[in-house]
Amino acid sequence: MNRLKDKVVIITGAGSGQGATEARLFAAEGAKLILTDINAEAGEQVAREIGDQAIFVKHDVSREADWQQVVAAALDKFGRVDVLINNAGIYAQGRFQEADVESFDRFFEVNARGTFLGMKAVQEPMLKAGGGSIVNISSLVGTRGMANAFSYSTSKWMVRGISKCAAVDLAESNIRVNAILPGLIDTPMIRVNKPEFLEAFTQSIPAKRLGTTEDIAHAALYLASDESAYIMGAEIAVCGAVGA
Ligand code: NAP
């Protein structure tokens, strides 16, 4: 309890999967929350369930103007920003052979540019607050060549690069930037894969199970909290040893 007491936290993609679980866990740890999602119905429901500690803002992370509104809402309601969880993302299968400019750009707009825009938007309030913690959700597929996920995988490589490079530049301002690399996590996102694929993949995981949203949320909680005060530019793989 209270590991995030009085911290003001923005979580993107908070209407579903990992973001929704992070929202509930962080609320239980005392955080004040700005929950955002492109899916307003889902995001509003999570915020309603949490109550006074949370507000919801509809948000497309790929749009700079939307980010200004999110930060303005955070400052208006809670007066500061301490933590950003850059969690929203899109996934689809697709090999290099089928990738076109439009789909390639869309993955970069949401997964990579969205991450960058979020970091730019919170920079000023975090400087004013004397520091902050930014947690970017990359993926284990951003560490290797991944079959049949060309645009997704390459966008997640970029999230790692953004995190590492910004971590070095922002360290002197006590703004910590770290990344989480989830393995295969049981959320709506992975349901586009065929059940046979998921079953076969699960058997190949050394831990012999899919990750849960709680597995990721607890890693995010640690990186968001002051317990990780000297952790900067790090990556935590939460993957049941797939990446070991
Ligand atoms: P999820 O359940 O699909 O949640 C993602 C949320 O982000 C959804 O509510 C989605 O809305 C929202 N979103 C999509 N595009 C958006 C945009 N442009 N602006 C704002 N919100 C947007 O997926 P998840 O598994 O929790 O994914 C969370 C993060 O973990 C993502 O960055 C994902 O790439 C990463 N990740 C997931 C896995 C996995 O196995 N699940 C593995 C590695 C990394 P819609 O549903 O309306 O699209």
Side-chain angles (χ1 to χ4, degrees), residues 12-20 22 36-40 42-43 58-63 66 86-91 106 109-111 137-141 152 156 180-190 193 211 213 216:
T12 67
S16 178
Q18 298 170 45
E22 284 154 4
T36 86
D37 205 292
I38 203 163
N39 182 337
K58 187 171 192 283
H59 178 205
D60 178 344
V61 294
S62 68
R63 292 168 51 98
D66 281 18
N86 258 325
N87 164 75
I90 52 171
Y91 164 79
R106 188 60 191 151
E109 279 170 13
V110 176
N111 294 350
I137 308 300
S138 176
S139 171
L140 202 68
V141 308
Y152 176 75
K156 289 297 186 178
I180 293 176
L181 316 182
L184 198 61
I185 311 301
D186 195 4
T187 73
M189 181 175 276
I190 67 168
N193 295 297
T213 57
I216 303 297

Side-chain angles (χ1 to χ4, degrees), residues 4 11 44 54 112 116 129 138 143 166-167 174 184 188 226:
L4 297 179
I11 303 176
E44 270 163 4
F116 165 72
S138 176
T143 65
N174 195 33
L184 198 61
D226 292 339

